[in-house]
Amino acid sequence: MVAYANILRLWMALLIQQSHLAMTKQTPHIKTRFAPSPTGFLHIGGLRTALFSYLFAKKHQGSFLLRIEDTDRERLKDGADQDILAALKWCGLNWDGEVHWQSQRRDHYQKYVKQLLDEGHAYPCFCSRERLLSLRSTGDHNQGYDRACRNLPQDKVASYIKEGKPYVVRLKMPLSGQVTVRDEVLGEIVYSYREFTDTIMMKSDGYPTYHLAHVVDDELLGITHVLRGQEWLSSYPIHHFLWQKTGFTPPQYIHLPLILSESGGKLSKRKNQGVSVEDYKDLGYLPEALINFLALLGWSYDDKRTFFSLEELTECFSIQGIAKSNATFSLTKLNYLNQHYIGKLSQDSFQSYAHPILQQAFPTRVTGQLGSSRVEQASLLYQSRLQYFKELETYLSFFGSTDLAYAPSLFDGLPLSQQEVHNSLLILETLLAQTAPWEEEVLTHEVKQATKAKGVKMFELLMPLRLAVTGSQKSPSILALVIYLGKESTLARVKALMNHLASSLSSDEAE
């Protein structure tokens, strides 16, 4: 019986091992990548692509790789690669392993260019830039090239190369027929090869174009799934042709919906729209809000849930939730989400975000010590109403101004006449001058006593004080604000509005 039991246990162990091996074969280790080009700050659409690639990999316990596609040497911007890395880290999208720079992998690409040339799937093109520009200007040829070098005799090709004539290497695309490509969201898509010209694979400087480089790298790095924007759909058949001619196994492609502005076009900085992650960081948006917002641009979980942490997104994310139609960038929704996350910040975290913005706006008032100035302390009163931290510059502008401009619109809709406001300011001037010590509790008591003695309501004193101090009808607790502003500055503003109203009221009487 013991021997039988041992045999049974061994048999069960083998079954479990075989089952594990079968599962491993069925579900290979998933690898995604984000491959930005360092030509500027990270675009908001690029961050969305990175986010979806990260979420898909992490949902399946896979790897998320980062590759810098820096082969377009003419458009590179110094430091842009580091800016991109910093933006990803700021958002919590940490990649696995080392960063891969394409400019350091030129030998890999040249090997496959040689293979394509040797097998007759590519050819050198000696056409000058001027000739190509001329072709494009006439519009007579598909995508600006007439395949003039496609069938050059080999002796002429060899002669040109020997002369040192510059050339690019073009892919010899089929001239007829159709190709069917598959997208995991959009399904099968049929293209006619007649739509495509002979795309450049290698430039005259020896660097590959995106088309060749990303196909080679995805193969060599073992990428299993590529998530990218639908703007790349039009070049999908080119990449499909390259897989065939290089013998590579293509990854699965997931094309993400485009992000459009609320007017229906592309996001544009010329239209005062933030287009880079850096734009939103500088305005004081939180990474949690930006990630939450971008996740909902082209992906949905259900109609009830709005707020997701990065960890929750990782748990909930699925390809099935990706939309086929374009997404609309709603600044109103981003502001709503950001206001929610700002409201949840601890006091220390709030001040760490507010400090650099206030230090720039009020350099003489905000020192290097975090949270030490009165203007920083006053900023905490605005935490529940902030949509983004840069708004503090406007909300607290009265801290940096000794001469507020009181516009006529300041009194629009006010249930107090200008004469009533002036009368209240006379009461406040005396009250504020006598208040000591300058503390909120003491000032609150004095105001309450004045309402009883003068027979007025709290609103009739606090609203004029708010108008005088902030130049606005809205603010957090005005008594808390003036404590931070200081007694001298508060009295100066009360007198300033009194003088402004006195002049206005005298003009009205004269008329």
Side-chain angles (χ1 to χ4, degrees):
M1 291 292 292
V2 174
Y4 176 76
N6 288 337
I7 292 171
L8 182 62
R9 280 195 293 270
L10 180 60
W11 180 68
M12 291 296 294
L14 286 171
L15 281 178
I16 292 171
Q17 185 179 20
Q18 289 175 352
S19 175
H20 176 71
L21 288 172
M23 289 178 64
T24 303
K25 291 179 180 178
Q26 291 172 5
T27 55
H29 182 76
I30 285 176
K31 280 188 180 181
T32 65
R33 49 75 167 173
F34 178 53
S37 180
T39 56
F41 288 117
L42 179 58
H43 191 279
I44 204 74
L47 179 59
R48 200 272 306 264
T49 298
L51 172 62
F52 281 23
S53 301
Y54 173 91
L55 294 176
F56 182 74
K58 298 307 175 183
K59 171 67 178 288
H60 298 283
Q61 293 77 51
S63 300
F64 169 64
L65 307 186
L66 179 60
R67 185 172 71 225
I68 302 297
E69 299 194 338
D70 56 345
T71 60
D72 190 346
R73 311 306 289 179
E74 293 182 0
R75 297 179 61 232
L76 291 186
K77 180 180 177 183
D78 288 343
D81 52 356
Q82 297 305 314
D83 290 334
I84 291 169
L85 268 59
L88 291 173
K89 288 179 179 178
W90 180 68
C91 292
L93 302 185
N94 298 311
W95 54 91
D96 296 300
E98 63 181 7
V99 180
H100 304 274
W101 272 269
Q102 285 187 333
S103 60
Q104 300 173 6
R105 301 161 63 86
R106 293 173 67 183
D107 291 346
H108 296 297
Y109 314 124
Q110 290 168 354
K111 170 187 173 182
Y112 289 101
V113 167
K114 185 178 184 304
Q115 176 186 327
L116 291 168
L117 286 168
D118 291 346
E119 296 177 358
H121 305 307
Y123 61 93
C125 173
F126 301 91
C127 293
S128 66
R129 179 173 294 187
E130 291 73 23
R131 181 177 189 275
L132 295 175
L133 289 173
S134 176
L135 287 173
R136 292 186 188 121
S137 66
T138 61
D140 292 336
H141 302 281
N142 182 27
Q143 298 187 28
Y145 184 57
D146 58 358
R147 295 186 169 97
C149 297
R150 181 175 173 121
N151 297 309
L152 284 178
Q154 286 303 310
D155 58 341
K156 182 166 284 192
V157 170
S159 174
Y160 283 160
I161 292 176
K162 187 176 181 179
E163 292 174 16
K165 191 170 185 177
Y167 66 91
V168 299
V169 176
R170 290 183 180 272
L171 188 63
K172 190 178 286 186
M173 292 290 288
L175 299 178
S176 61
Q178 293 183 326
V179 58
T180 301
V181 295
R182 175 166 180 78
D183 178 85
E184 297 303 309
V185 173
L186 303 173
E188 292 188 345
I189 310 169
V190 180
Y191 292 91
S192 169
Y193 276 125
R194 292 175 62 85
E195 300 175 34
F196 301 93
T197 190
D198 291 349
T199 306
I200 296 174
M201 295 291 102
M202 184 75 76
K203 292 172 286 187
S204 58
D205 61 4
Y207 283 94
T209 61
Y210 166 81
H211 302 294
L212 175 69
H214 96 275
V215 167
V216 171
D217 279 339
D218 286 346
E219 170 73 13
L220 299 183
L221 294 174
I223 302 301
T224 61
H225 295 77
V226 172
L227 291 87
R228 62 183 185 179
Q230 287 184 14
E231 65 268 23
W232 290 107
L233 271 174
S234 60
S235 59
Y236 196 0
I238 299 171
H239 309 150
H240 186 275
F241 186 72
L242 272 170
W243 299 325
Q244 290 180 325
K245 300 311 175 185
T246 52
F248 294 162
T249 301
Q252 296 181 45
Y253 271 71
I254 299 114
H255 287 88
L256 309 176
L258 302 178
I259 301 175
L260 303 180
S261 68
E262 291 182 275
S263 62
K266 288 184 178 181
L267 294 178
S268 170
K269 201 158 191 173
R270 291 190 298 272
K271 298 178 181 178
N272 296 320
Q273 298 165 326
V275 296
S276 75
V277 177
E278 196 74 15
D279 290 333
Y280 292 96
K281 183 179 179 182
D282 290 345
L283 285 170
Y285 285 87
L286 304 185
E288 299 93 327
L290 199 56
I291 287 296
N292 193 158
F293 172 71
L294 289 175
L296 300 176
L297 283 181
W299 174 82
S300 62
Y301 181 64
D302 58 34
D303 295 332
K304 300 176 182 178
R305 189 168 178 180
T306 301
F307 302 106
F308 294 86
S309 66
L310 185 57
E311 293 74 20
E312 290 167 337
L313 285 169
T314 302
E315 181 181 344
C316 297
F317 188 79
S318 70
I319 295 301
Q320 292 72 28
I322 296 177
K324 296 181 180 181
S325 57
N326 295 332
T328 300
F329 190 103
S330 169
L331 189 59
T332 300
K333 185 165 186 177
L334 175 57
N335 287 341
Y336 167 74
L337 289 169
N338 204 51
Q339 187 170 21
H340 168 82
Y341 285 103
I342 289 176
K344 294 175 66 177
L345 291 175
S346 67
Q347 179 174 322
D348 288 346
S349 294
F350 181 90
Q351 289 190 322
S352 69
Y353 280 106
H355 181 77
I357 288 175
L358 294 176
Q359 193 171 41
Q360 185 176 13
F362 310 103
T364 61
R365 289 179 173 268
V366 180
T367 64
Q369 186 176 352
L370 183 66
S372 61
S373 68
R374 288 184 175 183
V375 67
E376 287 180 285
Q377 293 163 9
S379 71
L380 288 166
L381 298 173
Y382 288 89
Q383 183 169 0
S384 64
R385 63 183 64 202
L386 276 187
Q387 295 185 103
Y388 49 92
F389 277 91
K390 197 75 169 176
E391 285 186 314
L392 286 172
E393 290 184 0
T394 301
Y395 282 139
L396 296 171
S397 60
F398 57 88
F399 268 88
S401 173
T402 56
D403 184 23
L404 290 181
Y406 299 109
S409 59
L410 177 62
F411 304 97
D412 290 351
L414 194 69
L416 295 173
S417 67
Q418 293 191 21
Q419 183 64 61
E420 289 172 323
V421 170
H422 186 268
N423 294 342
S424 294
L425 292 173
L426 288 171
I427 297 172
L428 286 165
E429 182 183 24
T430 302
L431 183 155
L432 295 171
Q434 295 175 349
T435 298
W438 189 252
E439 296 173 355
E440 185 177 357
E441 185 177 346
V442 176
L443 183 55
T444 301
H445 174 76
E446 292 298 324
V447 171
K448 287 181 178 178
Q449 289 298 107
T451 60
K452 295 176 182 178
K454 303 295 183 179
V456 296
K457 299 176 182 178
M458 287 283 285
F459 170 82
E460 295 176 69
L461 290 181
L462 297 185
M463 179 54 77
L465 180 60
R466 179 173 288 111
L467 298 174
V469 169
T470 69
S472 171
Q473 293 186 21
K474 296 179 179 180
S475 79
S477 169
I478 188 60
L479 296 182
L481 272 178
V482 298
I483 295 301
Y484 293 123
L485 182 62
K487 186 174 183 175
E488 182 179 342
S489 294
T490 302
L491 273 168
R493 284 161 171 73
V494 167
K495 291 178 180 178
L497 184 55
M498 283 173 56
N499 293 335
H500 173 81
L501 287 172
S503 175
S504 176
L505 291 170
S506 298
S507 299
D508 289 345
E509 289 176 2
E511 292 177 3

